[in-house]
Amino acid sequence: MRINRILLAGSLVSVALVIQVTVLGRLQLPGAVPDLVLLTVVALALVYGHVSGALIGFAAGLLTDLAPPADHAAGRYALVLCVIGYLVGLVRPDNGRFRSAWGPMLTVLAAAVVSTLLYAGVGALVGDTAARHVGLVGLLFTATLYDLLLAPFTVPFIMALARKAENDPMAVEANGGPPQGKDVASGWLAGGTGLRIGSQRGGLRMMTARGRANRAGRIKGVKGVKGVKSVRKL
């Protein structure tokens, strides 16, 4: 992994873990807890691919296993997020773009379901019966619901930061021409949250360029008129 990937992923995972433990974990919501660490791993895996996604998922899961008030065996959630990061990275399109927001939404949905089932399955293997007492169906429903509600406000911005740290490798096509279509982050923002950040920036740049061109044209026109008047006087 590149140094910038390690630094960005470590910072984002650390912030997500702190928020999850200090804020989301104390909301006392029915059923599961919104998993911000999972959403961070999903977002980074959608940008970096399956290898980096698996490594980031393992590290994020291990930090979650060791962070208080963890009450399960260390390495359990590391295995879960490692598998999730690898699988999500495989779903990432070759060109790094989804045509609509349905792709990332379905990816988050699948990640929430698979992570909950895998976590409960690993717990059953090691003798943890907490999921049985809570109810696996209710836990699965609430975990998926909370993650889907939280995803549009976190995943696109994490993906945008990851793309920016990579010096926007998808901003230019392989042939050196302008990019065609939407990238992962802008497609999610446009379709999922209604925020067209990329298009607004492009529109502002276009308006600025047009304004400068108009001002330059007016200045040249004024100079041309003055030159004609001076010639007529002569």
Side-chain angles (χ1 to χ4, degrees), residues 113-198:
V113 173
V114 173
S115 63
T116 304
L117 293 177
L118 188 59
Y119 184 82
V122 175
L125 291 177
V126 297
D128 185 2
T129 59
R132 298 179 182 177
H133 299 291
V134 176
L136 182 58
V137 177
L139 188 65
L140 184 63
F141 174 77
T142 53
T144 305
L145 178 62
Y146 297 153
D147 290 343
L148 286 176
L149 292 177
L150 186 61
F153 304 100
T154 55
V155 174
F157 299 102
I158 295 174
M159 293 172 66
L161 289 175
R163 290 286 303 278
K164 186 176 181 180
E166 289 287 290
N167 295 323
D168 202 9
M170 292 300 174
V172 180
E173 295 292 337
N175 57 3
Q180 302 294 329
K182 301 175 180 178
D183 58 27
V184 177
S186 64
W188 174 279
L189 286 169
T193 62
L195 301 177
R196 295 176 175 85
I197 293 179

Side-chain angles (χ1 to χ4, degrees), residues 47-154:
V47 178
Y48 294 150
H50 60 283
V51 176
S52 297
L55 295 175
I56 294 172
F58 178 81
L62 188 59
L63 288 176
T64 305
D65 290 333
L66 299 177
D71 56 352
H72 54 269
R76 179 177 171 184
Y77 205 50
L79 174 61
V80 173
L81 288 187
C82 181
V83 174
I84 294 298
Y86 182 82
L87 294 178
V88 172
L90 292 178
V91 176
R92 175 182 179 270
D94 294 334
N95 60 354
R97 302 186 185 95
F98 286 98
R99 294 184 178 181
S100 67
W102 285 106
M105 283 293 290
L106 292 177
T107 303
V108 172
L109 173 63
V113 173
V114 173
S115 63
T116 304
L117 293 177
L118 188 59
Y119 184 82
V122 175
L125 291 177
V126 297
D128 185 2
T129 59
R132 298 179 182 177
H133 299 291
V134 176
L136 182 58
V137 177
L139 188 65
L140 184 63
F141 174 77
T142 53
T144 305
L145 178 62
Y146 297 153
D147 290 343
L148 286 176
L149 292 177
L150 186 61
F153 304 100
T154 55

Side-chain angles (χ1 to χ4, degrees), residues 6-63:
I6 297 176
L7 294 177
L8 179 64
S11 301
L12 292 176
V13 169
S14 300
V15 172
L17 182 59
V18 170
I19 295 176
Q20 181 168 325
V21 172
T22 59
V23 179
L24 300 178
R26 299 184 179 182
L27 294 178
Q28 296 183 353
L29 297 174
V33 176
D35 199 340
L36 186 58
V37 176
L38 171 66
L39 297 179
T40 303
V41 172
V42 169
L44 294 176
L46 285 175
V47 178
Y48 294 150
H50 60 283
V51 176
S52 297
L55 295 175
I56 294 172
F58 178 81
L62 188 59
L63 288 176

